[in-house]
Amino acid sequence: MEFDVIVIGAGASGLMCAATAGYRGKSVLVLEHTKKIGRKILMSGGGRCNFTNLHNSVENFISHNPHFCRSALSRYRVSDFVELVERHGVEYHEKTLGQLFCNESSKEILRLLMTECEWAGVQIQTETTIERLVATDNGYQLVTSSGAMSARSVVIATGGLSIPNGGATPFAYHIAEQFGLKIYPTSAALVPFTLQAELKEHLNPLSGVSHAVTVSCNGMTFKENMLFTHRGLSGPAMLQISSYWRPGDAISVNFFPEEDLLTLLKVQREEKPKADIVTVMASHMSKRMAQILCELFGCSGRMADQSNADLAKVAEAFTCWQVKPSGTEGYRTAEVTIGGIDTDEINQKTMEAKLAPGLYFIGECLDVTGHLGGHNFQWAWASGFAAGQAV
Ligand code: FDA
């Protein structure tokens, strides 16, 4: 079987690339090794797919070359995907911070991509594994579980390592290595933190409680909700900062992102001298949370008995909690993989490997990792479109 283009991986970037190439009149085959295509699209955004973000810009991406993604993002914009969504009659809403979600289900985004592929004449073949990929004089030859195939261009769109039981494989990195491309070390990102046993046990009664915080690590700060879980710390704030955290680092949490806590405590000492400090804190958060955190931070006693120095310590504890996670939940629950194929090896306009003409890499396998909130899908659409235009 011979095609103009073979795309390996029927996920977000692969389907976008295939449809784009198909519309240009190319014969396109998409190979997927699992039974189901677009699994991560289906599980995304809690089943409603946060498909893009109105505030998307290069600042929302982590990469050793922060400028690499600029070209593709500027040629396939947020408004282009929104226009596609509207054209397919998918209803959506802005949830918060520019994040666009389907009103109904992420199935609608997958259906949209499948329809686009169908209209563009793309063939999709599931349950096919690729055993070998070799360069030939006029393209590439693939040895697969359903026989030999060849194509002028091959696009690697097999994603990163997160959710291994959902079909993730290191295929893209192995192919990159085979063709001599450099790869940065990878790790799980947008992932919940785990805590040491003693701290986890102390915070266990707060499991399920969410609170608005600012969280900082390695020069980056996010203001979002954090969630206590029975394993540790999660919620958008923690997922975001996990992309900047390295093992051994402490993260700093401010439970009062909007207030000057020390001034507030001094005022409350005047107004409620007989009140216990736990009661005062409980007027700003749930009672249980105030109790557990006051215990953790060693804050107790009546307000009248607190010196200025005591109140400064309380304020410091609640606005600058230094917590050292024991680790993360890893690829098992991570939304994305940070690191990956060095973008210096890739043409930023076409996604073609500089060392291997006709071989393209798109989506999450590249060293381009978006913030939480629809940015990773926007990268998948934009890089898929860029390669689809070039193959
Ligand atoms: P993607 O993972 O989509 O596709 C890769 C495809 O290749 C898969 O179908 C896989 O089975 C296949 N494959 C792998 N190895 C293969 C091999 N050897 N041979 C053949 N096929 C192979 N992002 C966002 O912007 N908004 C959101 O709401 C969410 N939510 C979210 C929730 C959860 C639970 C996860 C895990 C992730 C998200 N994400 C997200 C991230 C987003 O899903 C991710 O960034 C994109 O799907 C990446 O697109 P790719 O096309 O690169 O890989």
Side-chain angles (χ1 to χ4, degrees), residues 8-14 31-34 38 40 43-45 49-50 130 157-159 162-163 167 169 171 334-336 362-364 374-377 380:
I8 305 177
S13 63
L31 296 176
E32 165 63 43
H33 74 135
T34 66
K40 279 192 191 161
M43 61 172 68
S44 67
C49 188
N50 176 196
I130 290 84
T158 51
S162 62
I163 322 283
T169 70
F171 183 82
E335 285 201 10
V336 289
I362 57 175
E364 202 183 310
H375 302 289
N376 284 297
F377 277 137

Side-chain angles (χ1 to χ4, degrees), residues 201-214:
E201 202 174 310
H202 187 90
L203 296 174
N204 201 37
L206 294 181
S207 188
V209 173
S210 170
H211 190 81
V213 298
T214 54

Side-chain angles (χ1 to χ4, degrees), residues 21 35 292 326:
K35 262 190 190 163
I292 301 275
S326 60

Side-chain angles (χ1 to χ4, degrees), residues 309-355:
D310 293 336
L311 290 187
K313 271 190 200 152
V314 176
E316 169 83 3
F318 277 87
T319 57
C320 206
W321 178 38
Q322 298 294 310
V323 55
K324 252 191 192 181
S326 60
T328 71
E329 291 186 10
Y331 291 119
R332 191 179 59 79
T333 61
E335 285 201 10
V336 289
T337 300
I338 201 164
I341 299 164
D342 184 351
T343 57
D344 284 351
E345 307 276 13
I346 306 291
N347 180 319
Q348 61 180 346
K349 287 209 170 85
T350 62
M351 305 293 135
E352 189 175 24
K354 291 175 186 167
L355 293 174

Side-chain angles (χ1 to χ4, degrees), residues 354-371:
K354 291 175 186 167
L355 293 174
L359 183 63
Y360 297 75
F361 291 86
I362 57 175
E364 202 183 310
C365 64
L366 292 171
D367 173 35
V368 176
T369 308
H371 287 168

